[in-house]
């Protein structure tokens, strides 16, 4: 498919209702309002063309940008391209899912996660925490910096409630991810979850809720899935 053909296909899949929903969550024009399930019908034809995926992200059209994240090859994307991507991730869907998922499966996952976490730009910091969360979900424990992750848990316990709005959400998700996927740190993550309690995030005019970290980890624990790594975090 060509770039124009992909945009035409996305336009045909979009609905006004989905557009309204995305706008409530933070999406901005231009975009068509395509449900992720419908968008995935285009993954196979686009996935053959790395340059097409990169072009889709650069379009600034949210639907095309999200599709790019589903189709780009994270093993060959460059650090410079990922930096361009994070700078264009203007709302949480792109920062927490699209860019974070691709970055976590790239060769620069850890390097960029720790760099982005320190950013003064809210969405870049959000992407940093989300990239690290995804990274621990797919990386064997023996390859993780356990002491560094422990330090981040302590940082979250001390500072989450004074952080920027969406960063609080990403930090809470980091606690859950560590507790679920890094068995050595599960009890520490649960303790942090208990100490931070309910995390308040302004989710706008939506029904979204912030999960209680400790309860969420315990739910995974009760299912016997602690430490079970994922094969991919791109979704």
């Amino acid at each position: 498919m060509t770039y124009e053909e992909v945009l035409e296909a996305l336009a045909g899949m979009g609905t006004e209702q989905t557009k309204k929903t995305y706008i409530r969550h933070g999406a901005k024009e231009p975009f068509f309002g395509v449900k992720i399930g419908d968008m995935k019908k285009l993954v196979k034809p686009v996935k053959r063309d790395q340059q097409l995926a990169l072009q889709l992200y650069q379009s600034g059209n949210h639907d095309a940008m999200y599709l790019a994240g589903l189709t780009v090859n994270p093993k060959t994307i460059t650090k410079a391209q990922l930096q361009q991507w994070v700078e264009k991730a203007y709302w949480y869907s792109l920062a927490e899912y699209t860019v974070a998922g691709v970055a976590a499966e790239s060769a620069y996952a850890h390097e960029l996660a720790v760099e982005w976490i320190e950013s003064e730009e809210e969405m870049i910091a959000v992407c940093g925490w989300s990239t690290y969360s995804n990274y621990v979900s797919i990386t064997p424990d023996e390859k993780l910096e356990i002491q560094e992750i422990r330090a981040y848990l302590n940082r979250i316990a001390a500072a989450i409630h004074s952080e920027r709005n969406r960063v609080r959400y990403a930090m809470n998700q980091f606690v859950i991810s560590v507790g679920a996927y890094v068995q050595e740190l599960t009890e520490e993550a649960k303790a942090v979850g208990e100490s931070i309690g309910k995390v308040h995030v302004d989710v706008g005019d939506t029904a979204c809720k912030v999960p209680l970290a400790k309860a969420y980890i315990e739910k995974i624990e009760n299912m016997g899935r602690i430490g079970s790594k994922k094969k991919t975090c791109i979704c």
Side-chain angles (χ1 to χ4, degrees):
M1 296 180 76
T2 66
Y3 173 77
E4 291 75 17
E5 287 171 340
V6 174
L7 288 184
E8 184 178 352
L10 288 170
M13 294 176 176
T15 68
E16 283 303 312
Q17 184 57 49
T18 302
K19 266 192 101 166
K20 290 176 182 177
T21 299
Y22 286 178
I23 287 171
R24 285 201 303 273
H25 283 263
K28 298 176 184 177
E29 296 281 7
F31 71 106
F32 307 115
V34 183
K35 292 180 180 178
I36 306 304
D38 293 335
M39 185 184 297
K40 288 183 177 179
K41 298 171 185 176
L42 296 174
V43 167
K44 189 173 181 180
V46 176
K47 205 165 189 176
R48 303 189 189 102
D49 192 335
Q50 181 82 341
Q51 288 307 309
L52 175 56
L54 294 171
Q55 188 179 10
L56 289 170
Y57 193 88
Q58 290 302 319
S59 71
N61 178 302
H62 169 259
D63 298 309
M65 294 169 83
Y66 201 102
L67 178 60
L70 296 175
T71 55
V72 77
N73 184 346
K75 302 304 180 188
T76 59
I77 195 168
T78 68
K79 183 180 178 183
Q81 287 166 338
L82 285 167
Q83 190 61 43
Q84 291 173 353
W85 277 36
V86 78
E87 289 170 4
K88 289 178 72 72
Y90 68 87
W91 72 297
Y92 78 83
S93 177
L94 295 171
E96 294 177 15
Y97 298 99
T98 301
V99 182
V102 173
E105 294 195 18
S106 77
Y108 314 98
H110 178 262
E111 177 184 354
L112 287 177
V114 297
E115 176 184 327
W116 291 344
I117 280 172
E118 305 303 330
S119 177
E120 294 182 0
E121 294 291 330
E122 181 177 2
M123 283 302 125
I124 295 180
V126 163
C127 191
W129 287 106
S130 299
T131 297
Y132 213 136
S133 293
N134 281 309
Y135 177 63
V136 303
S137 77
I138 60 172
T139 304
D141 288 357
E142 59 270 20
K143 293 185 178 181
L144 296 173
E145 300 284 346
I146 297 297
Q147 286 302 112
E148 178 181 78
I149 297 170
R150 180 175 284 121
Y152 279 132
L153 287 176
N154 292 334
R155 173 174 168 178
I156 290 170
I160 188 170
H161 296 296
S162 60
E163 258 292 357
R164 290 154 289 179
N165 186 60
R166 201 70 200 184
V167 177
R168 295 196 294 273
Y169 188 92
M171 283 179 158
N172 191 67
Q173 290 299 116
F174 180 85
V175 175
I176 292 172
S177 189
V178 171
Y181 296 107
V182 187
Q183 198 161 15
E184 182 179 342
L185 295 174
T186 296
E187 292 304 316
E188 291 176 54
K190 284 162 62 178
V192 170
E194 184 172 24
S195 72
I196 64 178
K198 184 173 178 59
V199 178
H200 296 279
V201 176
D202 182 357
V203 294
D205 184 23
T206 73
C208 294
K209 296 181 179 180
V210 183
L212 291 168
K214 183 185 179 186
Y216 202 98
I217 295 168
E218 288 176 337
K219 181 179 178 181
I220 296 170
E221 196 171 34
N222 291 336
M223 295 168 67
R225 289 169 49 191
I226 293 293
S228 298
K229 302 286 183 173
K230 298 192 294 186
K231 291 183 178 180
T232 181
C233 51
I234 293 175
C235 61

